[in-house]
Amino acid sequence: MIHKIVIPTPFAVGDVNAFLIKGDVLSLVDAGPKTPEAYEALKYGIKAAGYRLKDIEQVILTHHHPDHSGWIEAFDNAAVIGHAYNDFWLTRDKEFLRYHDAFYLQCMIEQGVPEKYLSWVKQMKKSAVLMGERPLDGVIAEGDALPGHPNWTVLETLGHAQSHLAFWNERKRAMIGGDLVLQNVSSNPLIEPPMDSLKERPQSLLEYNESLKRLLDLPVDVIYSGHGEEVRNVHALIEKRFQKQQERSMKVLSMLENGPRTIFELTTELFPAVYEKELGLTLSETIGQTDFLVDEGYAREYRNENGILYYEKV
């Protein structure tokens, strides 16, 4: 049994989906944002499936973003499981949050962001108030069987989030995919601090592309996605997304025709109407495209004497 529950969010992406799955235990995959409206939708959806909140034995997180991790405290009898990265947010780990701010500040400086915008770092975690505040009871990772659901295998699918997992049922040729593949919009590969602070900045778009490529090798008939309708044209849609991404990268490459540019300069040209309002998101999109161009050999990255990163066409 897979029962979808549609939950409202205050975010531009719109409604988010949670899924009840019945196996040896009754599990809920994802838990909406921590808003009163989301709580009522969860309660209503679970009741419509013939259950109560206290019947849920396990909450499984696809990733830590607030539209997916909010109401984990609503299920007193449930264990909460997910990628280890979730715990930094769910416990509001103070050392991690200091590292988080320092990471983004350093990134923005390297990207050539003017000083007047550096206070934006404080906004990068403002939506954390809509995340749950309860530590994981168990960690799941690549290759694990979902506890209580032996036919569902955990796939680590980083890119959109550093905590992102998808769940694959080979027998049903079905996947519960979180934000890995959405029918109507491309998922945003977001720059996030790595779990290990000694590691380099994750190349989120390249990670995301690798996660999508994994799906091309699987006989997926349907993905129950985190937003919108189920995806049934999986392979064709992924190929289409790769083509669109290539086109976006070539647009960025054309901007380098007149000489080296910083990430911030490229961002203001790519997103002139929204970069000030959505600075973190638009910088992530731009750095993803330059990572791709460098990885493919179309461009090179270098630092000037002040440590600012520049990109130029090869």
Side-chain angles (χ1 to χ4, degrees):
M1 177 199 80
I2 301 176
H3 177 79
K4 181 166 77 172
I5 301 171
V6 180
I7 304 167
T9 82
F11 304 114
V13 71
D15 294 342
V16 66
N17 300 325
F19 298 95
L20 278 175
I21 54 174
K22 177 64 176 167
D24 297 334
V25 300
L26 180 63
S27 296
L28 178 73
V29 180
D30 288 340
K34 193 188 286 186
T35 66
E37 297 81 5
Y39 179 82
E40 291 302 320
L42 262 176
K43 188 166 65 171
Y44 176 85
I46 291 168
K47 183 179 179 180
Y51 299 101
R52 298 163 297 176
L53 295 184
K54 67 180 182 180
D55 294 328
I56 304 300
E57 298 169 271
Q58 185 169 254
V59 178
I60 307 164
L61 296 178
T62 61
H63 60 298
H64 68 279
H65 292 168
D67 51 335
H68 296 261
S69 66
W71 277 115
I72 54 177
E73 296 108 304
F75 305 97
D76 294 336
N77 299 326
V80 179
I81 64 173
H83 193 287
Y85 192 99
N86 287 283
D87 243 6
F88 294 122
W89 286 105
L90 302 183
T91 63
R92 306 301 195 268
D93 185 279
K94 292 181 180 179
E95 183 177 343
F96 174 79
L97 294 178
R98 285 193 293 268
Y99 155 57
H100 169 279
D101 288 356
F103 169 85
Y104 278 117
L105 180 60
Q106 182 61 31
C107 282
M108 293 176 78
I109 291 171
E110 291 179 343
Q111 292 162 1
V113 176
E115 186 174 353
K116 68 176 182 177
Y117 294 115
L118 296 182
S119 60
W120 225 91
V121 167
K122 297 176 183 178
Q123 299 185 50
M124 301 294 279
K125 59 181 187 292
K126 66 178 182 179
S127 63
V129 297
L130 300 183
M131 294 178 183
E133 290 191 65
R134 171 185 167 180
L136 293 177
D137 297 295
V139 171
I140 49 177
E142 172 71 29
D144 290 346
L146 275 184
H149 306 276
N151 294 322
W152 290 91
T153 301
V154 177
L155 304 181
E156 188 177 67
T157 49
L158 306 187
H160 175 67
Q162 290 299 299
S163 60
H164 203 285
L165 301 174
F167 312 115
W168 167 236
N169 189 316
E170 186 172 16
R171 189 175 68 181
K172 294 180 179 292
R173 297 163 67 102
M175 178 175 288
I176 298 175
D179 287 357
L180 181 59
V181 181
L182 309 179
Q183 180 65 55
N184 296 322
V185 295
S186 296
S187 191
N188 296 309
L190 299 175
I191 301 299
E192 294 179 333
M195 196 155 67
D196 182 348
S197 62
L198 298 178
K199 289 189 175 181
E200 296 291 321
R201 170 185 64 79
Q203 294 182 303
S204 298
L205 179 61
L206 301 185
E207 289 182 335
Y208 181 65
N209 286 348
E210 289 304 310
S211 295
L212 290 182
K213 288 174 185 175
R214 293 188 69 183
L215 271 59
L216 296 178
D217 294 327
L218 296 175
V220 188
D221 285 341
V222 59
I223 296 178
Y224 296 90
S225 63
H227 302 275
E229 296 302 314
E230 291 72 47
V231 180
R232 298 186 183 276
N233 55 334
V234 177
H235 290 177
L237 183 60
I238 289 172
E239 295 289 2
K240 182 180 177 181
R241 294 281 160 79
F242 279 146
Q243 181 181 352
K244 290 289 186 183
Q245 194 263 303
Q246 176 84 10
E247 291 170 1
R248 286 193 292 269
S249 292
M250 291 303 103
K251 180 178 179 180
V252 173
L253 185 63
S254 71
M255 296 177 184
L256 302 179
E257 294 281 358
N258 296 323
R261 309 285 293 281
T262 67
I263 293 298
F264 182 76
E265 289 168 343
L266 292 168
T267 299
T268 59
E269 189 170 341
L270 280 169
F271 306 101
V274 298
Y275 77 88
E276 289 186 305
K277 183 180 178 181
E278 297 288 352
L279 189 58
L281 182 62
T282 54
L283 289 170
S284 281
E285 172 67 22
T286 305
I287 195 67
Q289 303 307 332
T290 55
D291 281 346
F292 177 83
L293 291 173
V294 171
D295 189 64
E296 292 290 313
Y298 292 113
R300 79 176 187 97
E301 175 190 273
Y302 68 91
R303 293 180 187 271
N304 72 0
E305 64 278 7
N306 296 317
I308 308 299
L309 292 173
Y310 280 83
Y311 297 83
E312 66 178 3
K313 188 175 180 181
V314 173

